[in-house]
Amino acid sequence: MDSTSELPVILPRATKVPAPRQTPSLASKHVLVVGINYAPEPTGIAPYTTGMADHLTTRARSVTVLTGMPHYPNWQLDPQYRFRLRTREIGRQTGDEFDGVAGLGPNDGLLIRRLRHYVPSRQSAVRRAGYEFTFMMNCLSAKVEQRPDVVVAVTPSLGGAVAGARIARRAGAQLVVVVQDLMAKAATQSGISGGSGRVAAATAALERYAVRRADRVAVVSDAFRDQLHAYGVPDERIRLLPNWTHIHASGLSGPEARQALGWPQGVFTVVHTGNIGLKQDLGNLVEAARICAEHDAGVRFVIIGDGSQRSAVQDQARGLANLEFVDPLDGVKYPQSLAAADLLVVNERPGVGDMSLPSKLTSYLTAGRAVIAAVAPDGATAQELRRTDGAAHLVAPGDPKALAESVLALRRKPAHCNEMGVLGRVYAEANLGRDAAAARLDALIEECLTP
């Protein structure tokens, strides 16, 4: 079976990156960042929100972050925050330097305000509403010492975006909404219990409220534009702000990485990392592993991460000797796990289209390993992977037989897998660098501050 050559090929588009500009006006301004996910959460949206705040700290007079208590991806409160209602933390929370500049900003630095909120151990529309509502109300009641000149609200959470819009209006501040996920689409596409009908309509109304009040809306994928247009956001207010790679490739060969992790040698290793939730539909990967076990004993699957569906997926995989579950890894072992893979997997529930772009894509492409994606052919993930010009092989979602057949076909083509990995790394170096992302963010903030 061929790789993406079977699919319509879209060559990488030349990415126009704004030239770095000095932003003296920002040096005297106060920035408020609102987002429920933040370091030390290791995956998902947190690394990007944290990176933006760290970068803005090097530019602005001060940056305040309103965020939640660490709880993702396992949807359990970090034990050290379990009995705390609110916290104040000063300074950088991660070693992931957005633009290579560490430390505090030109004047007052970084203040992180953590606010208690409901954390559902199981996902449903009602529980999700409680999660969003409690964070929103705590944001609106929180005292912000410095009146912000710019508010950057990150969705998800939707409650945080709505709160950011209200705070910006009260303060007379400019509002930037960064759309990592489209929450109304997520309500219908992710498979969350009770997520259709009135819940989806209410979510869409809140999402529309936040983005229509934004001076600029930043999207991580152009696939989100149509929904924003439907909300009444004119295209001239929408800017593309792709996520950047927040890991460094380990530099190890596959055998070296497997040795470092204690993984077996001499088997074709297929790895999935990140959240184990409804959207990821990893039961599909379990069944593909089952089919592979019947046809080829030399294929091993590894699912790394945690999430609301991990127990259910583990139950489904009981008895499979060729599939292993691994807890989330630290900043050293995670890049090693990517290097240890012969094939990296993106898997999405059938029906997931333009609601989100998996944050793992930047890490996968940077790692220089072949990618296989069981995703909707017209969705945001497929659109992004086609831009790599051959780094990924796309198969239909929800079809474990097709996924297994593709894995086995790629196992028989090691040279082709290596070529796919090289193409991914080339694309990442050209399009997913921190400098380009920092320049885009600077230009976006400067645009808001320019009369």
Side-chain angles (χ1 to χ4, degrees), residues 129-152:
Y131 171 78
E132 298 281 2
F133 181 76
T134 52
F135 181 64
M136 178 180 71
M137 295 308 295
N138 274 321
C139 286
L140 289 173
S141 64
K143 180 181 178 182
V144 179
E145 288 86 347
Q146 298 285 358
R147 185 188 68 82
D149 299 288
V150 180
V151 175
V152 179

Side-chain angles (χ1 to χ4, degrees), residues 32-35 52 151-155 157 160-165 175-179:
L32 176 67
V33 177
V34 185
M52 283 195 298
V151 175
V152 179
V154 181
T155 174
S157 95
V162 172
L175 174 65
V176 177
V177 174
V178 179
V179 179

Side-chain angles (χ1 to χ4, degrees), residues 65-240:
V65 177
L66 293 183
T67 189
M69 300 293 181
H71 63 280
Y72 187 86
N74 60 355
W75 290 91
Q76 294 178 358
L77 277 178
D78 186 312
Q80 68 175 312
Y81 291 92
R82 188 163 294 158
F83 302 107
R84 306 175 76 176
L85 295 178
R86 297 192 175 190
T87 69
R88 291 169 53 90
E89 301 167 10
I90 305 295
R92 180 178 297 273
Q93 295 295 298
T94 176
D96 174 26
E97 297 170 12
F98 186 74
D99 65 347
V101 180
L104 299 179
N107 289 290
D108 297 339
L110 175 64
L111 170 64
I112 298 139
R113 300 282 304 277
R114 295 193 186 275
L115 311 173
R116 188 63 176 261
H117 53 86
Y118 169 63
V119 178
S121 58
R122 291 182 298 156
Q123 297 296 304
S124 71
V126 172
R127 291 186 178 96
R128 182 74 188 210
Y131 171 78
E132 298 281 2
F133 181 76
T134 52
F135 181 64
M136 178 180 71
M137 295 308 295
N138 274 321
C139 286
L140 289 173
S141 64
K143 180 181 178 182
V144 179
E145 288 86 347
Q146 298 285 358
R147 185 188 68 82
D149 299 288
V150 180
V151 175
V152 179
V154 181
T155 174
S157 95
L158 182 57
V162 172
R166 296 293 298 273
I167 293 169
R169 183 177 179 181
R170 285 196 317 232
Q174 295 291 298
L175 174 65
V176 177
V177 174
V178 179
V179 179
Q180 292 277 358
D181 287 352
L182 287 166
M183 299 305 295
K185 294 265 187 175
T188 56
Q189 294 180 9
S190 68
I192 190 169
S193 173
S196 59
R198 286 188 227 177
V199 170
T203 303
L206 290 172
E207 194 165 49
R208 183 186 300 110
Y209 171 88
V211 297
R212 289 187 64 172
R213 279 155 182 77
D215 297 281
R216 294 293 182 272
V217 180
V219 295
V220 298
S221 169
D222 276 326
F224 297 171
R225 286 181 184 265
D226 287 348
Q227 183 59 49
L228 293 175
H229 294 159
Y231 283 154
V233 180
D235 203 57
E236 57 266 24
R237 281 201 271 145
I238 303 172
R239 299 292 180 269
L240 182 64

Side-chain angles (χ1 to χ4, degrees), residues 344-390:
L344 294 168
V345 182
V346 181
N347 195 89
E348 293 179 344
R349 176 187 175 89
V352 170
D354 53 1
M355 61 168 273
S356 66
L357 191 66
S359 59
K360 65 174 68 72
L361 288 187
T362 59
S363 301
Y364 278 16
L365 296 171
T366 300
R369 293 295 184 265
V371 176
I372 187 167
V375 298
D378 56 349
T381 303
Q383 290 181 35
E384 183 67 20
L385 288 173
R386 285 196 184 101
R387 292 190 179 100
T388 67
D389 194 25

